């Protein structure tokens, strides 16, 4: 089933929430309905109780029939501000044209976890949000039935109205909203959700709700926020992460016209302590310059002439990491992650063995909107407007750093100009909060592009030393990987780990994963498809090497390796081998894989597959390589299995195509290098992203399978990279084992 199909079948499911999970409020404005995940808060069901506040709501039906639906999760471009309200509107049975979407407040007691990450918006809210709409619809039906003195079974809905079946009488939702004050919310478990054949909104391709504002430049993003009397601030931090200020010419900065303040910030000790997940997460040492315009603040910053104190991380470098990895690989691994069978004996007895060393670099998120936050500290309370992916941890961080009670802090979620995991950290939020308190005025902190590039939470680099063994029939019988990664103290650095269940573990009888670690002073964190974006390159490329060593079709080699078991392992690490075989066969059939041997010289097809974030993806890439080493990606085919329902086909297609192009951009261009403890790249001139002239067509097919739908923001990215590098091997015979690609790797 292709991405443009109007409906993907899905059976209705009964809910598991109780009446105490529903909040209802009725006022002159109309009906307001909220839904609280069981266990997150104690809900009240008395519609006339003054303690029930509209801000605890998802749905408001106004007397004119217009419906406001609150989107609970932050939107950083992935489209959840549209997708989540679609689920509610579908079961409410309201015309999408009559829906107004607003961001919900940051209120974990009411809404549970509010975050954007891990492609979790769909799997977390598929059932929950449909229940919200179903309960609201049932209440409107009951209000109409009471008015008509009939049973609710005599009533049905059409978009925006309740119909009395025997007589054809009609009442609009708006006319029934106030009457819902006397309606007891039904137990959601008693409600039957719609069958897919009856969907009017789910499965319909819809533009993102904010598209009109985006294309017309209306204020929407974090950088657009304005407050009365607001000042602008820059915050300069040491090139070496965590280094403190030794001296700064504050008077020179203050002498710039428009500058209101310049001061040194010592930083919070926990922000740069060498503990798991700490480095760079909070208020780092630096110098703040505050002015009536951002440009004045920037000019003041340029005159600071800051000197920085010595710091141990200044001894670290990318070359040093690579040298240390080679040294560690030559010795005994520090830890064993998995050990199945007898790997050494199986390798010794193998008909063929393959050895290879793979490496990948640090990467920056490179959000198009640099990090920013607007904060207003007043009368002991803090209010912030932040394009954060993780608002509640940001509130807790500000509370801890400023010594405030969390309930005295309000976080407004605003649209983010890209996230990709970077905005899960809230360092920019705590900077704005601290500076606002210091100057006693609303402040917007805006990072420069150089700040953003050189003070990121980077995708970690990594090194893999692999050995594989094949028997006489070309079966993979042994595989060993010594993974050299990074640590903060004794713990693996954020997003730098690998699961013991990493494929192809459990599919190879003799398999060993070992791990060694290099101490790291560079902050790391999740980047789109964290971990998977690097590990897919390594393992899918090495499996391709093994397939060629076996003289096998690489795609069929993968299918043979997966075997005939439908599922391998147990939850939460269960692997749907049958689902992966399904997407491999689908991408084989939709691409010209069978005729790849007829391609012109210098062209090739490569395949990669990967499971991440609950999605199964297989991709074929077609490349051409010139004699000078230039790479042109001609097309990518994608087969995806994310369950039985695509909620918004436009959004789904955008996410898959964007993920593929993002992965290709990483492989073709991107790397962060460290010298003397500092990042060398500073802007798009030395950290280039894929240009539009390099973008290729991406054809997408979604398979219909009998599983609940899952997210799409990340799982299409990982297989794009090995599909590219394997295609380059097919075109040139040259194996790519380190990234990014350079022409020197591929020159004839």
């Amino acid at each position: 089933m292709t991405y443009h199909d109007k409906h993907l079948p899905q059976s209705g499911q009964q809910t598991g929430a109780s009446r105490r999970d529903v909040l209802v409020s009725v006022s002159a404005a109309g009906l307001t309905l909220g839904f609280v995940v069981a266990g997150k808060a104690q809900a009240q069901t008395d519609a006339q109780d003054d303690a029930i506040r509209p801000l605890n709501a998802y749905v408001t039906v106004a007397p004119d029939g217009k419906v406001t639906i609150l989107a609970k999760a932050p939107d950083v471009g992935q489209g959840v501000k549209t997708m989540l309200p679609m689920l509610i509107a579908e079961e409410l049975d309201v015309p999408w044209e009559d829906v107004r979407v607003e961001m919900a407040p940051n209120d974990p007691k009411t809404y549970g976890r509010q975050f954007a990450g891990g492609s979790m918006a769909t799997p977390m809210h598929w059932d929950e949000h449909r229940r919200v709409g179903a309960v609201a619809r049932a209440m409107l039906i009951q209000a109409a039935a009471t008015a008509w003195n009939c049973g609710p079974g005599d009533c049905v809905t059409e978009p925006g109205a309740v119909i009395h079946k025997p007589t054809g009488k009609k009442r609009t939702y708006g006319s029934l909203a106030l009457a819902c004050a006397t309606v007891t919310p039904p137990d959601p478990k008693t409600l039957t959700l719609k069958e897919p054949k009856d969907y009017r909104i789910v499965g319909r391709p819809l533009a993102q709700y904010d598209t009109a504002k985006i294309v017309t430049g209306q204020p929407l993003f974090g950088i657009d926020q304005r407050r009365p009397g607001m000042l602008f601030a820059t915050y300069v931090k040491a090139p070496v992460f965590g280094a403190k200020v030794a001296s700064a010419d504050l008077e020179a900065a203050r002498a710039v016209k428009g500058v209101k303040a310049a001061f040194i910030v010592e930083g919070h000790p926990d922000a740069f302590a060498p503990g798991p997940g700490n480095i760079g997460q909070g208020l780092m040492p630096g110098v703040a310059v505050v002015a009536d315009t951002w440009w004045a603040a920037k000019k003041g910053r340029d005159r600071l002439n800051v000197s920085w104190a010595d710091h141990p991380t200044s001894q670290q470098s990318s070359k040093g990491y690579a040298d240390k990895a080679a040294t560690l690989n030559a010795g005994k691994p520090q830890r064993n992650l998995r050990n199945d069978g007898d790997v050494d004996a199986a390798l010794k007895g193998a008909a063929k063995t393959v050895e290879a060393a793979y490496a990948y670099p640090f990467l920056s998120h490179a959000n198009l909107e640099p990090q920013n936050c607007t904060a207003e500290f007043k009368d002991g309370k803090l209010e912030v407007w932040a394009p954060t992916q993780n608002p509640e941890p940001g509130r807790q961080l500000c509370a801890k750093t400023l010594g405030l009670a969390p309930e005295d802090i309000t976080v407004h979620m605003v649209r983010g100009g890209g996230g990709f995991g970077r905005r899960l950290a809230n360092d920019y939020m705590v900077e704005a909060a601290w500076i606002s308190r210091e100057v006693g005025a609303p402040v917007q902190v805006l990072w420069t592009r150089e700040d953003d590039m050189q003070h990121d939470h980077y995708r970690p680099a990594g090194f893999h030393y692999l050995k594989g063994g094949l028997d006489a029939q070309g079966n993979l019988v042994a595989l060993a990987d010594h993974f050299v990664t990074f640590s903060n103290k004794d713990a693996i650095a954020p997003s730098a780990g690998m699961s013991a269940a990493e494929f192809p573990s459990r599919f190879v009888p003799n398999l060993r994963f070992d791990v060694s670690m290099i101490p790291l002073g560079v902050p790391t964190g999740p980047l789109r498809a964290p971990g998977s974006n690097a590990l897919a390159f390594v393992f899918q490329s090495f499996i391709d090497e093994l397939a060629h060593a076996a003289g096998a079709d690489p795609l069929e080699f993968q299918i043979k390796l997966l075997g005939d078991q439908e599922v391998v392992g147990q939850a939460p690490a269960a692997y749907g081998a049958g689902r992966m075989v399904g997407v491999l066969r689908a991408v084989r059939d939709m691409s010209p894989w069978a005729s790849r041997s007829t391609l012109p010289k210098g062209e090739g097809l490569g395949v990669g597959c990967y499971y991440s974030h609950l999605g199964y993806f297989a991709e074929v890439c077609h490349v051409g390589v010139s004699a000078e080493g230039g790479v042109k990606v001609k097309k990518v085919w994608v087969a995806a299995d994310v369950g039985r329902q695509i909620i918004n086909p436009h959004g789904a297609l955008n996410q898959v195509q964007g993920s593929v192009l993002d992965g290709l951009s990483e492989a073709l261009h991107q790397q962060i290098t460290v010298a003397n403890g500092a990042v060398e790249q500073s802007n798009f001139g030395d950290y280039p992203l894929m240009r539009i002239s390099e973008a290729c067509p991406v054809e997408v097919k979604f398979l219909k399978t009998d599983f609940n739908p899952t997210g799409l923001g990340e799982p299409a990215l990982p297989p794009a990279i090995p599909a590219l590098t394997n295609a380059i091997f097919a075109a040139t015979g040259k194996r790519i084992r380190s990234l990014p690609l350079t022409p020197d790797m591929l020159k004839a």
Side-chain angles (χ1 to χ4, degrees):
M1 185 166 291
T2 56
Y3 66 84
H4 50 72
D5 282 331
K6 189 173 182 181
H7 295 296
L8 294 178
Q10 132 117 63
S11 58
Q13 296 182 7
Q14 292 204 334
T15 65
S18 69
R19 290 187 182 185
R20 299 190 63 81
D21 298 324
V22 180
L23 293 175
V24 181
S25 177
V26 179
S27 67
L31 165 69
T32 301
L33 174 75
F35 188 95
V36 180
V37 181
K40 297 294 185 182
Q42 181 165 337
Q44 300 185 45
T45 58
D46 185 346
Q48 298 180 354
D49 191 325
D50 292 337
I52 301 173
R53 296 167 296 148
L55 61 87
N56 288 340
Y58 280 96
V59 178
T60 297
V61 180
D64 64 359
K66 300 296 182 182
V67 177
T68 299
I69 300 178
L70 300 190
K72 123 177 196 178
D75 198 316
V76 287
Q78 79 279 39
V80 295
K81 188 177 178 181
T82 305
M83 184 273 290
L84 293 179
M86 286 175 69
L87 298 177
I88 296 173
E90 181 63 73
E91 292 295 337
L92 178 57
D93 202 12
V94 62
W96 182 251
E97 295 72 20
D98 289 343
V99 172
R100 177 186 178 190
V101 177
E102 295 180 354
M103 286 304 305
N106 176 46
D107 184 355
K109 290 183 179 179
T110 295
Y111 296 103
R113 289 191 66 195
Q114 295 173 273
F115 72 102
S119 298
M120 291 303 294
T122 297
M124 286 180 63
H125 302 111
W126 167 247
D127 281 334
E128 172 193 305
H129 274 44
R130 290 185 300 151
R131 293 170 189 164
V132 172
V135 169
R137 178 172 170 269
M139 294 175 66
L140 290 159
I141 288 175
Q142 182 59 61
T146 299
W148 290 326
N149 195 26
C150 68
D154 291 332
C155 303
V156 295
T157 61
E158 64 179 28
V162 180
I163 309 297
H164 186 237
K165 289 188 291 185
T167 64
K169 291 186 292 186
K170 178 189 293 189
R171 291 283 300 270
T172 66
Y173 284 178
S175 70
L176 294 167
L178 294 180
C180 288
T182 59
V183 175
T184 300
D187 182 345
K189 290 185 295 185
T190 66
L191 302 179
T192 300
L193 300 180
K194 283 186 178 182
E195 293 289 337
K197 63 181 177 61
D198 298 321
Y199 288 164
R200 293 186 172 100
I201 296 173
V202 168
R204 173 180 162 191
L206 294 172
Q208 289 198 29
Y209 185 78
D210 290 326
T211 295
K213 290 183 177 180
I214 293 170
V215 299
T216 57
Q218 297 182 46
L220 180 67
F221 295 90
I223 203 171
D224 298 325
Q225 303 305 306
R226 295 293 182 267
R227 300 293 299 161
M230 188 180 84
L231 301 175
F232 296 84
T234 63
Y235 191 62
V236 58
K237 298 181 284 291
V240 178
F241 302 96
K244 292 194 172 187
V245 179
S247 64
D249 192 346
L250 300 178
E251 291 305 319
R254 292 167 183 155
V256 172
K257 182 179 179 181
V259 170
K260 304 297 184 184
F263 51 89
I264 293 172
V265 178
E266 292 296 322
H268 195 274
D270 287 349
F272 50 96
N278 285 343
I279 294 180
Q281 292 284 350
L283 184 64
M284 298 284 277
V287 184
V289 179
V290 185
D292 52 15
T293 67
W294 185 84
W295 188 243
K298 172 68 167 57
K299 290 173 67 177
R301 168 183 172 153
D302 292 342
R303 297 190 183 185
L304 283 171
N305 193 28
V306 185
S307 295
W308 303 98
D310 291 337
H311 192 277
T313 300
S314 64
Q315 304 302 310
Q316 298 185 9
S317 68
S318 291
K319 183 180 184 304
Y321 300 144
D323 291 345
K324 182 64 174 177
T327 299
L328 288 170
N329 181 56
K332 182 180 178 180
Q334 296 170 356
R335 301 181 184 179
N336 176 257
L337 187 61
R338 187 183 190 102
N339 195 4
D340 297 335
D342 189 335
V343 173
D344 293 334
L347 287 170
K348 186 176 180 180
K352 287 185 179 180
T353 59
V354 178
E355 294 190 31
Y358 280 80
Y360 43 84
F362 293 94
L363 293 179
S364 173
H365 296 80
N367 305 140
L368 290 186
E369 179 192 29
Q371 310 315 311
N372 65 88
C373 180
T374 301
E376 184 170 359
F377 185 87
K378 185 177 181 180
D379 299 329
K381 298 183 184 298
L382 176 67
E383 196 168 3
V384 297
W385 293 259
T388 175
Q389 292 179 244
N390 218 6
E392 183 57 24
R395 176 161 67 172
Q396 298 297 330
L397 176 64
C398 289
K400 177 181 178 180
T401 306
L402 274 66
L404 300 175
E407 55 267 25
D408 288 333
I409 301 174
T410 301
V411 177
H412 301 278
M413 296 181 288
V414 296
R415 179 72 178 244
F420 315 116
R422 174 58 180 92
R423 300 186 199 273
L424 289 167
N426 289 288
D427 39 352
Y428 47 90
M429 187 188 297
V430 76
E431 289 174 5
W434 185 275
I435 295 169
S436 177
R437 186 175 70 173
E438 289 297 302
V439 300
V443 168
Q444 183 178 100
V445 168
L446 174 61
W447 291 20
T448 65
R449 179 64 62 195
E450 291 76 13
D451 291 336
D452 211 28
M453 195 75 70
Q454 297 185 323
H455 289 278
D456 204 338
H457 297 266
Y458 304 95
R459 193 284 300 275
F463 308 87
H464 294 256
Y465 301 89
L466 298 129
K467 297 178 183 179
L470 301 161
D471 66 14
Q473 290 73 44
N475 299 307
L476 180 57
V477 294
L479 188 144
D481 177 30
H482 185 184
F483 175 30
V484 179
T485 186
F486 295 92
S487 66
N488 295 157
K489 250 180 184 175
D490 294 326
I492 291 178
S495 298
M498 181 174 78
S499 168
E502 179 67 30
F503 185 80
S505 73
R506 301 176 291 181
F507 293 86
V508 182
N510 305 284
L511 181 140
R512 184 174 64 238
F513 288 160
D514 293 317
V515 178
S516 296
M517 296 181 291
I518 302 169
L520 182 67
V522 175
T524 61
L527 182 144
R528 194 175 195 174
S532 304
N533 53 42
L535 297 174
F537 160 62
V538 172
F539 286 103
Q540 285 291 299
S541 296
F542 190 59
I543 289 172
D544 196 79
E545 291 201 53
L546 292 164
H548 283 279
D553 176 329
L555 193 151
E556 298 301 331
F557 185 85
Q558 294 258 18
I559 291 175
K560 183 179 179 182
L561 179 60
L562 288 160
D564 56 8
Q565 292 188 70
E566 194 63 30
V567 178
V568 173
Q570 303 294 322
Y575 188 98
R579 298 178 73 180
M580 189 62 79
V581 169
V583 293
L584 278 165
R585 287 174 173 162
V587 81
R588 176 194 62 194
D589 296 342
M590 64 189 287
S591 71
W593 183 259
S595 59
R596 65 191 186 283
S597 62
T598 65
L599 290 172
K601 182 180 179 181
E603 294 187 19
L605 294 182
V607 65
C609 65
Y610 205 74
Y611 165 69
S612 70
H613 298 83
L614 306 178
Y616 294 81
F617 280 74
E619 302 176 14
V620 167
C621 182
H622 179 194
V623 302
V625 182
S626 70
E628 295 75 28
V631 176
K632 175 63 177 178
V633 183
K634 295 178 176 292
K635 187 170 181 177
V636 176
W637 293 263
V638 180
D641 179 352
V642 289
R644 61 173 66 94
Q645 181 65 57
I646 300 299
I647 297 167
N648 184 353
H650 272 345
L653 180 62
N654 290 342
Q655 287 297 296
V656 172
Q657 292 180 330
S659 290
V660 169
L661 297 178
D662 204 357
L664 297 178
S665 181
E666 291 174 6
L668 291 168
H669 301 302
Q670 295 167 219
Q671 69 172 330
I672 289 291
T673 56
V674 177
N676 301 314
V679 167
E680 295 185 287
Q681 291 72 25
S682 63
N683 211 315
F684 293 135
D686 50 12
Y687 190 82
L689 306 183
M690 176 181 278
R691 298 299 183 97
I692 194 168
S693 60
E694 299 174 278
C696 64
V698 179
E699 183 179 329
V700 183
K701 180 177 183 178
F702 292 109
L703 276 62
K704 180 189 72 174
T705 57
D706 194 23
F707 298 91
N708 279 342
T710 54
L712 279 167
E714 291 159 293
L717 188 152
I721 299 172
L724 168 67
T725 57
N726 293 336
I728 289 171
F729 175 79
T732 66
K734 296 184 178 183
R735 186 62 68 177
I736 304 301
R737 297 192 181 101
S738 64
L739 297 175
L741 293 160
T742 65
D744 288 343
M745 294 177 178
L746 302 174
K747 284 182 180 177

